[in-house]
Amino acid sequence: QVQLVESGGGSVLSGGSLRLSCAAAGYTYSDYCMAWFRQAPGKEREGVAAISAGASYTWNADSVKGRFTISRDNVKNMLYLQMNSLKPEDTAMYYCAAVENYHCYTQWAVANGYNYWGQGTQVTVSS
């Protein structure tokens, strides 16, 4: 049974930092590209960052470049998102997701293609 469980969300002031974690189980984690998506109320789900199966490649949305860093541990089956210099517009529910590795090279930010999703963790940034 596939499980993706996010943690680390919370409420912070603008300019603050948070580190999100995602624990994966039930599939061959090291074979899959992993990504973080977010969805704010009334908005579509958007890709934040992705990392290839072997961690050789990463992709980031323009809105988070220079502020967010995605990483993974293929021994512990963990995915991370270090978020610095947070802004109120970063407020959203954050989800981790898994997809076949090839998908990320051309369509990492397309949510429809992802196989597995977590339940999400809320991030709230206040000014």
Side-chain angles (χ1 to χ4, degrees), residues 37 45 99 103 107-115 117:
F37 283 77
R45 191 168 295 192
V99 69
H103 178 94
Q107 301 185 81
W108 75 268
V110 178
N112 283 349
Y114 280 73
N115 304 86
W117 290 87

mmCIF file of all heavy atoms in Angstrom, residues 37 45 99 103 107-115 117:
data_model
loop_
_atom_site.group_PDB
_atom_site.id
_atom_site.type_symbol
_atom_site.label_atom_id
_atom_site.label_comp_id
_atom_site.label_asym_id
_atom_site.label_seq_id
_atom_site.Cartn_x
_atom_site.Cartn_y
_atom_site.Cartn_z
ATOM 1 N N PHE A 37 3.880 20.045 -4.703
ATOM 2 C CA PHE A 37 2.868 20.913 -5.293
ATOM 3 C C PHE A 37 2.224 21.709 -4.158
ATOM 4 O O PHE A 37 2.337 21.337 -2.986
ATOM 5 C CB PHE A 37 1.786 20.090 -5.997
ATOM 6 C CG PHE A 37 2.210 19.549 -7.329
ATOM 7 C CD1 PHE A 37 3.045 18.441 -7.410
ATOM 8 C CD2 PHE A 37 1.781 20.134 -8.510
ATOM 9 C CE1 PHE A 37 3.446 17.938 -8.639
ATOM 10 C CE2 PHE A 37 2.166 19.641 -9.743
ATOM 11 C CZ PHE A 37 3.000 18.533 -9.804
ATOM 12 N N ARG A 45 -3.918 23.685 -8.392
ATOM 13 C CA ARG A 45 -2.712 23.112 -7.825
ATOM 14 C C ARG A 45 -1.526 23.439 -8.733
ATOM 15 O O ARG A 45 -1.615 23.280 -9.948
ATOM 16 C CB ARG A 45 -2.879 21.598 -7.687
ATOM 17 C CG ARG A 45 -1.805 20.923 -6.875
ATOM 18 C CD ARG A 45 -2.192 19.501 -6.538
ATOM 19 N NE ARG A 45 -3.359 19.450 -5.654
ATOM 20 C CZ ARG A 45 -3.760 18.346 -5.026
ATOM 21 N NH1 ARG A 45 -3.082 17.213 -5.184
ATOM 22 N NH2 ARG A 45 -4.828 18.361 -4.256
ATOM 23 N N VAL A 99 5.992 10.259 -9.355
ATOM 24 C CA VAL A 99 5.680 9.959 -10.753
ATOM 25 C C VAL A 99 6.850 9.203 -11.367
ATOM 26 O O VAL A 99 7.991 9.308 -10.899
ATOM 27 C CB VAL A 99 5.420 11.270 -11.523
ATOM 28 C CG1 VAL A 99 6.686 12.092 -11.677
ATOM 29 C CG2 VAL A 99 4.771 10.992 -12.885
ATOM 30 N N HIS A 103 8.724 11.306 -16.586
ATOM 31 C CA HIS A 103 7.704 12.363 -16.630
ATOM 32 C C HIS A 103 8.278 13.713 -16.234
ATOM 33 O O HIS A 103 7.927 14.754 -16.795
ATOM 34 C CB HIS A 103 6.541 11.979 -15.717
ATOM 35 C CG HIS A 103 5.438 13.000 -15.641
ATOM 36 N ND1 HIS A 103 4.320 12.958 -16.448
ATOM 37 C CD2 HIS A 103 5.279 14.083 -14.836
ATOM 38 C CE1 HIS A 103 3.523 13.972 -16.149
ATOM 39 N NE2 HIS A 103 4.075 14.668 -15.175
ATOM 40 N N GLN A 107 7.516 17.234 -18.086
ATOM 41 C CA GLN A 107 6.245 17.749 -17.550
ATOM 42 C C GLN A 107 6.201 17.709 -16.031
ATOM 43 O O GLN A 107 5.179 17.361 -15.438
ATOM 44 C CB GLN A 107 5.079 16.933 -18.089
ATOM 45 C CG GLN A 107 4.958 16.933 -19.598
ATOM 46 C CD GLN A 107 3.706 16.202 -20.025
ATOM 47 O OE1 GLN A 107 2.608 16.760 -20.006
ATOM 48 N NE2 GLN A 107 3.860 14.953 -20.400
ATOM 49 N N TRP A 108 7.274 18.085 -15.370
ATOM 50 C CA TRP A 108 7.309 17.922 -13.918
ATOM 51 C C TRP A 108 6.196 18.694 -13.215
ATOM 52 O O TRP A 108 5.736 18.280 -12.165
ATOM 53 C CB TRP A 108 8.667 18.350 -13.368
ATOM 54 C CG TRP A 108 8.891 19.833 -13.327
ATOM 55 C CD1 TRP A 108 9.471 20.597 -14.290
ATOM 56 C CD2 TRP A 108 8.523 20.735 -12.274
ATOM 57 N NE1 TRP A 108 9.491 21.912 -13.900
ATOM 58 C CE2 TRP A 108 8.920 22.015 -12.665
ATOM 59 C CE3 TRP A 108 7.901 20.570 -11.043
ATOM 60 C CZ2 TRP A 108 8.721 23.149 -11.874
ATOM 61 C CZ3 TRP A 108 7.696 21.689 -10.230
ATOM 62 C CH2 TRP A 108 8.105 22.961 -10.656
ATOM 63 N N ALA A 109 5.775 19.816 -13.775
ATOM 64 C CA ALA A 109 4.777 20.649 -13.107
ATOM 65 C C ALA A 109 3.333 20.296 -13.457
ATOM 66 O O ALA A 109 2.401 20.972 -12.996
ATOM 67 C CB ALA A 109 5.037 22.110 -13.424
ATOM 68 N N VAL A 110 3.149 19.263 -14.260
ATOM 69 C CA VAL A 110 1.794 18.866 -14.660
ATOM 70 C C VAL A 110 1.267 17.851 -13.653
ATOM 71 O O VAL A 110 1.694 16.699 -13.626
ATOM 72 C CB VAL A 110 1.801 18.270 -16.080
ATOM 73 C CG1 VAL A 110 0.403 17.813 -16.457
ATOM 74 C CG2 VAL A 110 2.334 19.288 -17.072
ATOM 75 N N ALA A 111 0.319 18.261 -12.860
ATOM 76 C CA ALA A 111 -0.157 17.437 -11.749
ATOM 77 C C ALA A 111 -0.863 16.165 -12.220
ATOM 78 O O ALA A 111 -0.785 15.131 -11.553
ATOM 79 C CB ALA A 111 -1.081 18.250 -10.858
ATOM 80 N N ASN A 112 -1.529 16.224 -13.373
ATOM 81 C CA ASN A 112 -2.335 15.091 -13.828
ATOM 82 C C ASN A 112 -1.541 13.816 -13.998
ATOM 83 O O ASN A 112 -2.093 12.721 -13.879
ATOM 84 C CB ASN A 112 -3.019 15.434 -15.152
ATOM 85 C CG ASN A 112 -4.212 16.341 -14.953
ATOM 86 O OD1 ASN A 112 -4.642 16.546 -13.818
ATOM 87 N ND2 ASN A 112 -4.732 16.890 -16.025
ATOM 88 N N GLY A 113 -0.258 13.938 -14.292
ATOM 89 C CA GLY A 113 0.515 12.741 -14.581
ATOM 90 C C GLY A 113 1.016 11.985 -13.376
ATOM 91 O O GLY A 113 1.516 10.865 -13.512
ATOM 92 N N TYR A 114 0.874 12.545 -12.183
ATOM 93 C CA TYR A 114 1.467 11.936 -10.996
ATOM 94 C C TYR A 114 0.668 10.732 -10.524
ATOM 95 O O TYR A 114 -0.566 10.761 -10.514
ATOM 96 C CB TYR A 114 1.624 12.970 -9.891
ATOM 97 C CG TYR A 114 2.844 13.829 -10.118
ATOM 98 C CD1 TYR A 114 2.854 14.800 -11.125
ATOM 99 C CD2 TYR A 114 4.009 13.645 -9.379
ATOM 100 C CE1 TYR A 114 3.987 15.564 -11.374
ATOM 101 C CE2 TYR A 114 5.139 14.405 -9.616
ATOM 102 C CZ TYR A 114 5.119 15.365 -10.624
ATOM 103 O OH TYR A 114 6.246 16.105 -10.870
ATOM 104 N N ASN A 115 1.389 9.702 -10.065
ATOM 105 C CA ASN A 115 0.768 8.453 -9.668
ATOM 106 C C ASN A 115 0.248 8.474 -8.235
ATOM 107 O O ASN A 115 -0.810 7.936 -7.936
ATOM 108 C CB ASN A 115 1.772 7.305 -9.794
ATOM 109 C CG ASN A 115 2.355 7.181 -11.168
ATOM 110 O OD1 ASN A 115 3.328 7.831 -11.496
ATOM 111 N ND2 ASN A 115 1.756 6.330 -11.997
ATOM 112 N N TRP A 117 -0.084 10.580 -4.333
ATOM 113 C CA TRP A 117 -0.180 11.874 -3.655
ATOM 114 C C TRP A 117 -0.316 11.682 -2.155
ATOM 115 O O TRP A 117 -0.937 10.728 -1.691
ATOM 116 C CB TRP A 117 -1.411 12.639 -4.143
ATOM 117 C CG TRP A 117 -1.307 13.120 -5.534
ATOM 118 C CD1 TRP A 117 -1.629 12.434 -6.672
ATOM 119 C CD2 TRP A 117 -0.832 14.396 -5.977
ATOM 120 N NE1 TRP A 117 -1.395 13.205 -7.782
ATOM 121 C CE2 TRP A 117 -0.901 14.420 -7.378
ATOM 122 C CE3 TRP A 117 -0.358 15.529 -5.304
ATOM 123 C CZ2 TRP A 117 -0.512 15.533 -8.131
ATOM 124 C CZ3 TRP A 117 0.028 16.627 -6.047
ATOM 125 C CH2 TRP A 117 -0.044 16.627 -7.438
#
